[in-house]
């Protein structure tokens, strides 16, 4: 799309002012925002030209213009400039590097930080359990009524689950249970382990004294393992976005954000419109919603994803800058530098 330099500056200014104020932008407002002299008539002509090519829309309530969905895509692809001030970078890096977090803790905290700093909803997607198989199970006794289960997948992902038993369980039962699970379940896709547990339940009953206690503990653990791939933070932030003042629309969005499977279906619809931002980020538009997503690596074989969900009118430069930094922090902490495909991809 062949815009002039002046049109690009005017359009960029409109997008950034509208995302800040949620108010349609008129020619008089633009005159005060632009750093070069231009008449109100000229601005109106340029805005009409931008509207003609589909980048701006005129509202019914004022003479001002707002960016269209196509306009936001053009802005993100061609005009976006990200910036995260140094003090904020230092604060975020210090927060993570001075504490001994697990990967799940860091991803979860990153999700919380994104929602807090953008006033939008953020989502963290862990590795898909359908691509992972059980490789090893270990039970470490803590005392007679508790133990820690260590579950390892073929992709190198490790989950630690604390079991608090209702009855005392002997170390002999723990060892027999571990041996049985490793013998019968290794190689099973994580999302199918619970079904396979039901198949071996009779063997557990015949082998273990506290078979019901252990069976219930592991079924719960594997179900949680298979489901805990999605974290959502800041759902309530949508209440403060004027675009979602319609209660039915807001209720529909909240229902989606409450359900991990619905989130995946919603974000992967064929009717969605997406554009790439650099090497690993993407803008996806779903009606009046926009999603900025960024991928990161846990390891060579495990990939996760951070998302920020909000109205099409979001502060893209701030959101993208934060996501760039957060995904780089995650990889710096957990992914060997020599295996990374580069840090910031802007």
């Amino acid at each position: 799309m062949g815009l002039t330099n002046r049109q690009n500056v005017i359009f960029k200014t409109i997008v950034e002012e509208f995302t800040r104020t949620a108010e349609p932008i008129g020619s008089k407002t633009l005159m005060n925002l632009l750093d070069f002299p231009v008449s109100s008539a000229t601005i109106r002509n340029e805005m009409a030209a931008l509207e003609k090519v589909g980048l701006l829309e005129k509202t019914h309530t004022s003479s001002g213009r707002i960016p269209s969905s196509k306009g936001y895509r053009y802005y993100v692809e061609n005009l976006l400039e990200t910036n995260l001030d140094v003090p904020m970078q230092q604060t975020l890096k210090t927060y993570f590097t001075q504490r001994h977090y697990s990967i799940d803790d860091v991803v979860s905290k990153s999700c919380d930080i994104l929602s807090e700093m953008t006033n939008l909803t953020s989502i963290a997607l862990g590795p898909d359990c359908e691509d992972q198989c059980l490789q090893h199970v270990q039970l470490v006794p803590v005392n007679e009524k508790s133990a820690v289960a260590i579950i390892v997948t073929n992709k190198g992902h490790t989950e630690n689950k604390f079991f608090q038993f209702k009855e005392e369980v002997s170390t002999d039962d723990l060892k027999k249970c571990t041996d049985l699970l490793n013998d019968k379940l290794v190689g099973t896709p994580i999302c199918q382990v619970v079904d396979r547990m039901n198949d071996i339940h009779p063997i557990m009953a015949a082998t273990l004294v506290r078979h019901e206690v252990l069976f219930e503990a592991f079924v719960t653990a594997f179900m949680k393992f298979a489901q805990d791939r999605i974290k959502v933070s800041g759902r309530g932030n949508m209440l403060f976005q004027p675009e979602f003042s319609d209660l039915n629309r807001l209720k529909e969005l909240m229902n989606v954000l409450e359900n991990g499977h619905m989130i995946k279906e919603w974000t992967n619809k064929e009717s969605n419109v997406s554009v790439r931002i650099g090497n690993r980020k993407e803008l996806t538009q779903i009606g009046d919603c926009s999603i900025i997503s960024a991928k990161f690596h846990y390891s060579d074989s495990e990939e996760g994803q951070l998302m920020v969900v909000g109205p099409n009118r979001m502060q893209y430069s701030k959101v993208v800058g934060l996501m760039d930094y957060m995904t780089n922090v995650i990889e710096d902490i957990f992914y060997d530098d020599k295996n990374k495909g580069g840090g910031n991809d802007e």
Side-chain angles (χ1 to χ4, degrees), residues 130-268:
E130 292 182 1
D131 297 329
Q132 301 193 64
C133 297
L134 182 66
Q135 179 172 295
H136 183 69
V137 176
Q138 183 178 353
L139 266 175
V140 179
V142 176
N143 55 45
E144 291 83 357
K145 288 190 175 183
S146 63
V148 174
I150 303 170
I151 303 169
V152 183
T153 76
N154 63 323
K155 297 292 184 71
H157 188 79
T158 301
E159 290 275 332
N160 297 324
K161 302 294 184 183
F162 180 77
F163 292 164
Q164 185 69 52
F165 305 124
K166 296 177 183 177
E167 306 172 55
E168 291 186 4
V169 178
S170 68
T171 54
D172 185 54
D173 258 9
L174 293 180
K175 183 179 184 309
K176 287 180 179 178
C177 182
T178 301
D179 292 343
L180 177 61
L181 295 179
N182 283 318
D183 181 52
K184 301 295 183 181
L185 299 181
V186 167
T188 304
I190 293 297
C191 56
Q192 298 176 20
V193 168
V194 172
D195 289 336
R196 291 281 291 116
M197 285 284 296
N198 288 318
D199 293 339
I200 66 171
H201 191 197
I203 304 175
M204 295 181 69
T207 309
L208 309 174
V209 175
R210 301 296 187 197
H211 61 90
E212 287 295 347
V213 171
L214 288 164
F215 177 80
E216 180 182 340
F218 271 103
V219 165
T220 301
F222 282 120
M223 286 178 68
K224 192 167 174 30
F225 189 2
Q227 293 170 357
D228 277 2
R229 304 298 91 196
I230 295 179
K231 173 183 169 60
V232 181
S233 183
R235 293 183 185 88
N237 288 337
M238 294 298 99
L239 296 169
F240 304 101
Q241 304 300 328
E243 288 82 356
F244 303 121
S245 57
D246 180 275
L247 291 180
N248 290 329
R249 178 70 186 94
L250 181 62
K251 183 178 179 181
E252 178 186 342
L253 179 60
M254 289 296 185
N255 286 338
V256 170
L257 296 177
E258 288 288 341
N259 187 304
H261 294 294
M262 287 181 69
I263 290 173
K264 289 186 176 181
E265 290 177 6
W266 186 60
T267 55
N268 292 323

Side-chain angles (χ1 to χ4, degrees), residues 96 99-109 158-160 298 330 333-334:
F96 288 117
R99 294 166 172 80
H100 299 290
Y101 288 120
S102 69
I103 179 64
D104 290 335
D105 291 335
V106 168
V107 173
S108 177
K109 189 59 184 176
T158 301
E159 290 275 332
N160 297 324
Y298 292 89
I330 292 171
I333 295 174
F334 291 100

